[in-house]
Amino acid sequence: MAASADGAVGRQAVHTVARRLLPLLFVLYAVNFLDRANIGVAALAMNAELHLSATAYGTAAGIFFVGYVVFHVPAAAAWAGSAPALAGRCGHRMGLCSAATAFVTDARGLYLARFSLGLAEAGFFPGVVAYLTAWFPARERTRALALFLLAIPLATAVGLPFSGLLVEHSRLLGLSGWRAMFLIEAAPPSYSGSPHCACCRTRHTRPPG
């Protein structure tokens, strides 16, 4: 009877953790992936406006991963024992760096914005994997990770076409479409770090043990 009760309590705890953590992490990873991929959608209009060569554009697209690799391990280590609020702050930094891309005026500014975005995103994926490992037992961990990774095809199938619509039709604050796209898509992760966002007020911040 005691073992059965313990099992029921354990299942309820996993369910509660999944309900509190997975929606936030899923949304942030979808935005995370979209922020690194939407430069491809912006390329045609952006390259023309900034007078970028193919080499300059390729450098801007690739320099993201320089920052990502440089800061990958130390950023992931910072997630040890962290809270969902840290995910929100990470998203906030992603949003700020993505929004900065809307205001670049030349190739060097674009390089800096993309490199900074790589730094901001560096620890998110390995940190989330480590965090899920701490919170979920082995039997439930694969399911949680699979749900988390569904953010990639969702961001690709839904997010990138949406980005294209923004580039073609959005004129936020008088900005050209590609600039408006970066600014609009920076808003959700930026808000995730706001004190008004519920995810930053989650009380259960540390895994058991």
Side-chain angles (χ1 to χ4, degrees):
M1 179 71 72
S4 177
D6 288 344
V9 171
R11 287 191 295 273
Q12 181 60 36
V14 169
H15 175 74
T16 300
V17 169
R19 179 169 50 84
R20 290 178 180 237
L21 289 180
L22 288 180
L24 164 67
L25 297 176
F26 180 92
V27 170
L28 282 178
Y29 194 48
V31 174
N32 176 300
F33 186 83
L34 185 60
D35 279 347
R36 73 176 70 172
N38 60 9
I39 190 173
V41 179
L44 190 62
M46 180 182 69
N47 291 356
E49 186 173 327
L50 298 182
H51 307 291
L52 298 180
S53 66
T55 300
Y57 169 75
T59 301
I63 203 169
F64 166 91
F65 292 98
V66 176
Y68 191 88
V69 169
V70 165
F71 209 55
H72 198 68
V73 173
W79 277 69
S82 64
L86 183 55
R89 289 193 294 270
C90 184
H92 186 61
R93 290 190 291 270
M94 293 179 210
L96 292 178
C97 293
S98 184
T101 312
F103 302 102
V104 300
T105 57
D106 56 22
R108 285 180 295 182
L110 184 60
Y111 297 161
L112 179 60
R114 293 291 296 178
F115 179 81
S116 300
L117 182 62
L119 291 180
E121 292 190 8
F124 186 77
F125 179 79
V128 167
V129 172
Y131 201 57
L132 294 180
T133 299
W135 271 110
F136 289 89
R139 188 174 59 182
E140 303 292 338
R141 193 177 306 145
T142 301
R143 182 182 303 174
L145 186 58
L147 290 172
F148 171 67
L149 290 175
L150 280 176
I152 295 177
L154 179 70
T156 303
V158 178
L160 292 182
F162 177 70
S163 298
L165 289 173
L166 291 178
V167 171
E168 291 181 351
H169 302 293
S170 178
R171 293 296 181 271
L172 179 68
L173 303 176
L175 297 171
S176 54
W178 69 270
R179 294 181 186 275
M181 179 204 71
F182 281 117
L183 203 57
I184 291 170
E185 292 183 353
S190 296
Y191 177 73
S192 72
S194 164
H196 302 292
C197 182
C199 70
C200 295
R201 301 194 299 271
T202 302
R203 289 175 298 170
H204 299 280
T205 61
R206 292 182 181 275

